[in-house]
Amino acid sequence: MLTCDTYRLPTSLKEALALWAGAPEGSRLVAGATDILPWAREGRAGDVHLPEMIDVSRVAELCGYEIADGRVRLGANVAYQQFLTDPVLRSHLPCMPYCAVWFADDQIREQATLAGNIVNASPAADGVPPVIAMNGDIEMARLEGGEVVTRAMPVAEFIMGPGRTKLAGNEIVTAVTLDSMQGYGGSFQKVGQRRSLVISAVCCAALVKTDASGEVFEDVRLALGGVGPVPMRLTDIEDMLRGKRIDRKLIAEASVGPADRVASRSRVAYRKAVVSGFVEAAIEDALVELGAPEPTPEQREAAHV
Amino acid sequence: MSDFEMELEVNGRKVRRRIEPGQRLLDFLRDDLNLTGTKEGCGAGECGTCSVFVDGKLVKSCLMPAAKAQGTKVETVEGLAKPGELTPVQRAFHKTGASQCGYCIPGMVMAATSALRENPDAGIDEIKERLGGNICRCTGYTKIFEAVELAREVIAGRLNPATLEADPAGESFIGNNVRRLDAPSKVSGRLRYAGDMVMPDMLHMQVLRSPHAHAKIRSIDTSAAEALDGVACVITCDDVPGEDGFGVFVHDQPVMARGKVRHVGEAVAAVAAEDIATARKALKLIRVDYEELPGLFDPEDAMQPGAPVIHDYAPDNIVKHIPVRKGDVEKGFAEADIIVEQTYETQQVEHAYLEPEAGIAYVDADDVVTVISPSQNITHHRHMLAHIIDRPINKVRFIMSPVGGGFGGKEDMIYQGMLALAAMKTHRPVKLVFTREESIIASAKRHPSRVTYRMGLKKNGRITAASFRMISDGGAYGMSTEGVMRKAAILSCGPYDIPNVQIDTYGVYTNNTPSGAFRTFGGMQAQFATESHLDICAEKLGLDPFEIRRINMMRDGAVTHTQQKLGSVSLARVLEAAEKASRWEAGPVGQRGPVRGDLGGEGTRQPCTLGSRIKSADGHNKEKVA
Ligand SMILES: Cc1cc2nc3c(=O)[nH]c(=O)nc-3n(C[C@H](O)[C@H](O)[C@H](O)COP(=O)(O)OP(=O)(O)OC[C@H]3O[C@@H](n4cnc5c(N)ncnc54)[C@H](O)[C@@H]3O)c2cc1C
Ligand code: FES
Ligand code: FES
């Protein structure tokens, strides 16, 4: 059960930062609250009393997104459902609709933010592999002498381990900035214990761009989640495929190596088996998005002999 | 604590209230506005019984701080239609029978309404996807999906609204669609389950539960809890005036732990206070001095000589042993060409009814102790409670509230006694609602079982003898174990005509969560073993699995394992129907070539996949690339 003394709904960044700087020890920032509320229950944190809850969901500067110079700047309040419903985001971040559709459910996605998912830093967070595949940076703001000061760093550096990030005590995350992937095919693979409302045991994000002929990998982006304390970008596999002719056999070969990188503490054999299949399926699904025919199970099998 | 000044619109009406700042939207709607059509099935975002619209978007109100809804427009199930009317979605749920216990139904109606508002032309895949955040444990999803498709067609004008009316009554109810009488109360959210009921001057109960699986209680100190402002009473087993003990068969369970605890989650003490937060604070002030005892977690360990004893009355830790004998098994095994032995295990299962346990107790003006709860066994509960509180039966009353799913899990009187004691001690109504976590930790489960099978067969497949030994984990208390063992023994070797059988089922005490009644009542565990075993025997003998069953099935006039003569037996017809429906490819296992012709195909559920709405969105990526 969660209780608090004061609930704040600031509407500007400066107001939010001032409240945050002045909040008593133990206060919390709140975005969608989809991590915070279930956390304050029996078996996890139990009954929690917070002095202040500072809800950033109405801070104007954190809402909406901008696209400029090949980068998409997502305000910290962008919630998962927007990746499914907003046509502009769908075209610039083509793996995100698939990531979103497997994320929780329609109702939770209306509230759950990508920024909250990153700050929560669960090893199973679905948003993080796509973000690191898209060279995501996280932007944080704080007050210094009454002025708003910001800094940014790659998300891959920001997340230090399960539940641990480089966010400083007086900072608020303001944005997540990603490469625009317009023209790429995107995909997302996820397995958990059921279909909806489940956290990933393993997930994999892929983005693929082909040359004008459609026969050569011009660029490939791959990242895995759920396979260790932090998500993993597969840069060597990306390098291996970049510039090569698209070939089922090559994709099958590329999918073998990543299995060895599984560093989870549990269900290692299972995760290894899943990882190879996911890397392969993620690349193939991304190609299908670009118009390639869907491979039959027989074709997939043939590539592995 | 500074109150939060809340101003919003709920179901079209302006609402202003001072609320507790950390409160959830769910609590605000239910407790402050008495809009109890919005339910709490889990409190953790998993079930969808709490779905409401906030500014037109469906959200889970258990995951939303109430303050977040400041200035918004909230719509609950009560606001969908005018009083006395139902929306086409609600009427479609009524028509297709999409409501059983009904506890999930208001949330389902909200999710269906949202799906059709978001996309009035949503296809079945998209409907399933959009209802993915809502769980139903009894209706099954087929009727619900049928209702959403029906409503979609009516709303779009493709079907006449008259389709939503009741079908004309035929000569007989059997074979005809009959609408449920109680469905309108469920689809509208008006039906009040125990957790939705309030009484003036009501207290709220919270329960202190054991952290240990097996421990002696040296002392319980409730003084600090009793001294806390807002606490009306604290109760322990010392407050029981009569003969403490309940259970479906053996009355081995005290209302609250007496002298020792036998499983994690067992009730040790309970507090009734002005509000839940105070009651929870008081729980933390109760001091229990435990002395841990060695625990037993596997029934076979508990059956060993010299094992720790869990209940003094049962020094061998056996709740019940049911032996069944027919014919002469040794003779039968001697006649067999092969003997097949195998062990089968099944695990503990939670019922997960969507309505967590809840109840209200009060003492009326005539001193009748009254308990309202979704008890599946009120008459028995009434008799047991009369003994426990030492009152004549006419001074004890049980009222059965609508059961939001039971499946056997609400047969045990695990909290009604505490409510009655607190009501007697305070002469005020007392209410208790379990959290989902509490429901899982404290309620009975399906018996985990281990069956050791030995079966003798002739080369032609005829069974000559079977020995069936089932060891079931009864957990810490007897509950329904005796009955479950009886049923498991009766059904044990299935509907097969076996001349010589030796059956033993044992329900055994351990320090695990108690096992109790659960749909099939022991039949499932036994049939899992029997049917698996027949498949294995068929494989060993090179027989078709249907064939081995036909060879051995009971026919008209057969004598059961417990030696009743059966007048008519329909198994032959059942097997024929199953064979046809599964398009069974005849032949012994492993001898039908590399490809099975009867897998997949029409009527087979395809693996689930998501994203139908992305594909139908606009084929955006393909356009951009071209
Ligand atoms: C039923 C259910 C299903 C779920 N399914 C999934 C799933 O499929 N995949 C998945 O990855 N996750 C899932 N989650 C977890 C959760 O929904 C996500 O992690 C979500 O993205 C968290 O975002 P939020 O906005 O709700 O965060 P909040 O709960 O509001 O906050 C999360 C953390 O981030 C901090 N925070 C939030 N915003 C800021 C900010 N602007 N600056 C600094 N700190 C901030 C908060 O203080 C808190 O520590 C699920 C949760 C539930 C309850
Ligand atoms: S999802 Fe809110 S109560 Fe279950
Ligand atoms: S009718 Fe759906 S849970 Fe009972």
Side-chain angles (χ1 to χ4, degrees):
Chain A
M1 184 172 186
L2 186 73
T3 48
C4 76
D5 291 328
T6 316
Y7 198 96
R8 307 276 193 185
L9 282 163
T11 52
S12 79
L13 181 58
K14 224 167 172 175
E15 185 192 354
L17 286 168
L19 286 172
W20 188 219
E25 177 82 27
S27 299
R28 284 293 285 268
L29 291 172
V30 183
T34 64
D35 270 321
I36 290 184
L37 279 179
W39 160 77
R41 290 187 68 85
E42 216 60 58
R44 298 183 68 192
D47 291 346
V48 174
H49 183 78
L50 302 173
E52 274 189 40
M53 291 172 82
I54 300 172
D55 186 327
V56 295
S57 60
R58 297 190 182 183
V59 172
E61 291 93 328
L62 270 52
C63 299
Y65 60 85
E66 288 153 28
I67 300 170
D69 306 325
R71 298 277 283 175
V72 182
R73 184 180 180 278
L74 300 169
N77 285 341
V78 169
Y80 269 91
Q81 193 74 344
Q82 285 172 262
F83 298 123
L84 267 172
T85 53
D86 186 313
V88 177
L89 289 183
R90 281 208 306 259
S91 106
H92 284 271
L93 310 172
C95 62
M96 288 312 285
Y98 294 100
C99 174
V101 86
W102 286 97
F103 183 102
D105 65 27
D106 278 271
Q107 303 171 52
I108 292 174
R109 291 196 293 265
E110 295 286 357
Q111 298 297 312
T113 62
L114 176 62
N117 197 218
I118 295 172
V119 174
N120 195 54
S122 153
D126 285 332
V128 182
V131 163
I132 63 170
M134 294 185 280
N135 293 323
D137 289 329
I138 194 157
E139 189 186 288
M140 295 151 273
R142 63 183 187 280
L143 278 188
E144 250 180 55
E147 289 310 309
V148 178
V149 183
T150 62
R151 63 173 179 138
M153 70 170 71
V155 170
E157 246 173 66
F158 175 77
I159 297 179
M160 296 159 71
R164 291 187 305 125
T165 69
K166 292 199 173 141
L167 189 70
N170 55 351
E171 285 178 319
I172 292 178
V173 171
T174 45
V176 179
T177 308
L178 308 165
D179 287 346
S180 161
M181 309 301 283
Q182 216 170 14
Y184 284 66
S187 71
F188 188 80
Q189 314 288 320
K190 168 170 173 173
V191 65
Q193 291 188 325
R194 51 192 286 258
R195 186 186 68 181
S196 298
L197 293 171
V198 69
I199 57 161
S200 293
V202 181
C203 64
C204 179
L207 292 138
V208 174
K209 190 176 188 181
T210 60
D211 71 350
S213 71
E215 286 173 9
V216 172
F217 284 116
E218 194 174 294
D219 191 20
V220 178
R221 307 280 185 89
L222 286 166
L224 292 172
V227 295
V230 291
M232 211 177 276
R233 174 100 179 249
L234 301 175
T235 37
D236 55 334
I237 310 293
E238 296 175 3
D239 293 343
M240 170 181 167
L241 295 172
R242 201 172 293 116
K244 299 270 168 52
R245 278 197 88 71
I246 299 171
D247 169 58
R248 188 147 291 122
K249 199 124 194 214
L250 175 69
I251 300 172
E253 272 165 35
S255 69
V256 177
D260 293 335
R261 278 168 242 181
V262 172
S264 311
R265 277 184 296 181
S266 61
R267 301 170 78 196
V268 174
Y270 172 74
R271 288 187 156 102
K272 282 187 173 177
V274 170
V275 161
S276 309
F278 268 16
V279 170
E280 182 175 2
I283 298 170
E284 278 176 344
D285 285 359
L287 287 168
V288 170
E289 271 288 281
L290 290 175
E294 215 150 324
T296 63
E298 290 75 25
Q299 282 172 322
R300 280 195 175 187
E301 203 127 307
H304 282 274
V305 283
Chain B
M1 198 186 284
S2 60
D3 284 354
F4 187 90
E5 192 79 45
M6 184 90 163
E7 236 186 290
L8 76 170
E9 198 182 301
V10 180
N11 295 333
R13 284 177 42 217
K14 290 240 175 313
V15 175
R16 270 181 83 164
R17 285 280 198 293
R18 299 183 74 82
I19 63 161
E20 279 174 34
Q23 190 177 341
R24 301 170 302 173
L25 180 59
L26 174 65
D27 306 319
F28 174 69
L29 295 170
R30 288 178 56 83
D31 302 342
D32 294 47
L33 304 185
N34 206 20
L35 292 169
T36 53
T38 306
K39 314 272 179 218
E40 177 164 7
C42 71
E46 302 282 354
C47 75
T49 54
C50 66
S51 304
V52 299
F53 289 101
V54 175
D55 279 342
K57 294 291 173 196
L58 195 70
V59 300
K60 291 182 160 170
S61 59
C62 72
L63 291 181
M64 186 180 266
K68 238 186 206 305
Q70 177 75 309
T72 63
K73 289 193 165 94
V74 172
E75 191 182 3
T76 70
V77 68
E78 291 90 348
L80 293 179
K82 289 200 202 96
E85 293 179 12
L86 296 174
T87 66
V89 170
Q90 289 169 319
R91 295 176 66 203
F93 271 65
H94 183 194
K95 175 67 189 278
T96 65
S99 79
Q100 283 198 29
C101 85
Y103 201 79
C104 71
I105 293 300
M108 284 289 179
V109 164
M110 294 299 276
T113 303
S114 173
L116 296 180
R117 283 184 186 171
E118 294 289 338
N119 183 3
D121 288 318
I124 185 65
D125 286 339
E126 184 172 340
I127 290 170
K128 286 181 181 173
E129 210 169 288
R130 288 191 185 272
L131 266 55
N134 292 60
I135 295 173
C136 174
R137 284 287 291 161
C138 17
T139 301
Y141 299 96
T142 303
K143 297 285 163 202
I144 293 172
F145 295 144
E146 266 176 31
V148 187
E149 287 193 286
L150 175 62
R152 177 194 62 204
E153 295 304 294
V154 170
I155 293 168
R158 287 185 290 261
L159 270 182
N160 188 329
T163 331
L164 298 174
E165 302 296 332
D167 286 346
E171 299 237 314
S172 159
F173 288 127
I174 297 167
N176 279 306
N177 264 337
V178 181
R179 295 194 306 184
R180 286 180 71 105
L181 293 175
D182 62 0
S185 73
K186 291 170 176 170
V187 300
S188 61
R190 285 166 64 203
L191 182 67
R192 290 198 187 249
Y193 298 82
D196 303 331
M197 296 177 188
V198 287
M199 295 185 81
D201 204 29
M202 180 175 90
L203 294 164
H204 296 267
M205 176 176 275
Q206 291 288 297
V207 181
L208 184 71
R209 299 191 175 278
S210 165
H212 302 295
H214 201 191
K216 215 188 224 151
I217 298 176
R218 287 211 204 93
S219 64
I220 305 178
D221 179 0
T222 58
S223 53
E226 267 157 318
L228 187 70
D229 258 2
V231 170
C233 78
V234 181
I235 52 167
T236 66
C237 65
D238 291 340
D239 292 286
V240 174
E243 206 179 299
D244 200 356
F246 66 88
V248 180
F249 293 89
V250 44
H251 296 181
D252 60 351
Q253 184 162 7
V255 170
M256 281 164 286
R258 182 173 290 277
K260 72 175 186 169
V261 289
R262 298 179 173 88
H263 71 96
V264 171
E266 179 167 359
V268 175
V271 175
E274 300 296 335
D275 54 63
I276 293 177
T278 306
R280 293 184 73 84
K281 241 181 250 158
L283 291 186
K284 297 196 176 84
L285 299 174
I286 300 174
R287 296 279 156 263
V288 185
D289 185 9
Y290 292 104
E291 178 189 325
E292 279 196 69
L293 299 169
L296 287 166
F297 304 103
D298 186 307
E300 303 216 30
D301 292 343
M303 288 169 88
Q304 295 304 315
V309 173
I310 296 173
H311 290 267
D312 292 340
Y313 93 91
D316 53 0
N317 289 324
I318 302 285
V319 188
K320 196 73 193 176
H321 168 212
I322 305 286
V324 175
R325 303 285 182 271
K326 178 183 164 194
D328 178 348
V329 275
E330 287 319 317
K331 184 173 141 271
F333 283 128
E335 286 164 16
D337 294 324
I338 64 163
I339 289 179
V340 181
E341 284 190 59
Q342 191 67 249
T343 302
Y344 302 89
E345 284 187 37
T346 60
Q347 82 287 18
Q348 198 177 49
V349 184
E350 157 66 24
H351 306 73
Y353 26 77
L354 278 195
E355 178 208 30
E357 289 76 357
I360 300 189
Y362 57 91
V363 182
D364 77 7
D366 294 320
D367 275 335
V368 177
V369 177
T370 309
V371 183
I372 307 175
S373 73
S375 153
Q376 287 186 272
N377 210 343
I378 48 169
T379 305
H380 192 212
H381 286 188
R382 180 179 179 220
H383 283 272
M384 291 191 294
L385 188 64
H387 282 289
I388 291 169
I389 61 175
D390 197 21
R391 298 268 174 112
I393 192 78
N394 66 331
K395 292 292 176 192
V396 179
R397 184 173 178 208
F398 267 78
I399 299 174
M400 185 178 180
S401 56
V403 183
F407 321 130
K410 289 176 180 163
E411 281 188 17
D412 311 298
M413 205 180 71
I414 55 174
Y415 59 99
Q416 289 87 346
M418 293 188 285
L419 281 170
L421 292 177
M424 289 160 65
K425 204 165 173 177
T426 58
H427 268 206
R428 288 174 66 181
V430 184
K431 176 173 173 178
L432 169 64
V433 181
F434 278 21
T435 61
R436 173 59 57 187
E437 290 85 343
E438 205 174 6
S439 172
I440 287 178
I441 203 172
S443 71
K445 305 286 171 274
R446 186 188 287 287
H447 287 78
S449 76
R450 194 175 288 145
V451 174
T452 307
Y453 233 117
R454 191 156 184 258
M455 193 176 262
L457 302 101
K458 290 287 203 195
K459 280 208 189 73
N460 65 8
R462 187 76 186 98
I463 303 168
T464 58
S467 97
F468 176 105
R469 180 181 157 90
M470 173 190 271
I471 312 264
S472 293
D473 184 349
Y477 290 101
M479 294 191 169
S480 293
T481 291
E482 177 174 337
V484 172
M485 289 308 99
R486 235 177 250 294
K487 180 96 173 275
I490 292 168
L491 298 179
S492 59
C493 297
Y496 303 106
D497 193 352
I498 306 175
N500 307 296
V501 291
Q502 171 176 331
I503 297 157
D504 292 282
T505 60
Y506 297 88
V508 184
Y509 283 121
T510 65
N511 295 110
N512 293 325
T513 308
S515 302
F518 198 152
R519 289 183 164 187
T520 80
F521 214 66
M524 187 285 292
Q525 293 94 322
Q527 291 335 301
F528 170 69
T530 296
E531 297 302 331
S532 304
H533 200 70
L534 280 182
D535 284 348
I536 290 171
C537 293
E539 191 171 349
K540 288 205 189 303
L541 292 169
L543 287 170
D544 179 300
F546 271 100
E547 202 47 40
I548 197 168
R549 287 170 170 83
R550 286 207 172 92
I551 291 168
N552 292 292
M553 69 188 173
M554 288 180 184
R555 294 177 169 78
D556 292 356
V559 175
T560 63
H561 315 308
T562 45
Q563 310 203 32
Q564 278 125 315
K565 200 171 153 120
L566 299 177
S568 74
V569 180
S570 57
L571 184 55
R573 277 154 60 207
V574 171
L575 284 174
E576 197 186 314
E579 192 170 15
K580 208 165 146 207
S582 62
R583 290 184 298 277
W584 184 253
E585 197 179 82
V589 180
Q591 294 177 28
R592 286 176 295 181
V595 182
R596 290 273 304 263
D598 49 9
L599 295 179
E602 198 199 337
T604 311
R605 179 78 159 80
Q606 295 307 309
C608 65
T609 160
L610 292 172
S612 66
R613 78 186 94 163
I614 308 173
K615 288 181 189 93
S616 60
D618 49 19
H620 51 283
N621 285 318
K622 282 162 209 155
E623 277 169 24
K624 297 276 152 41
V625 171

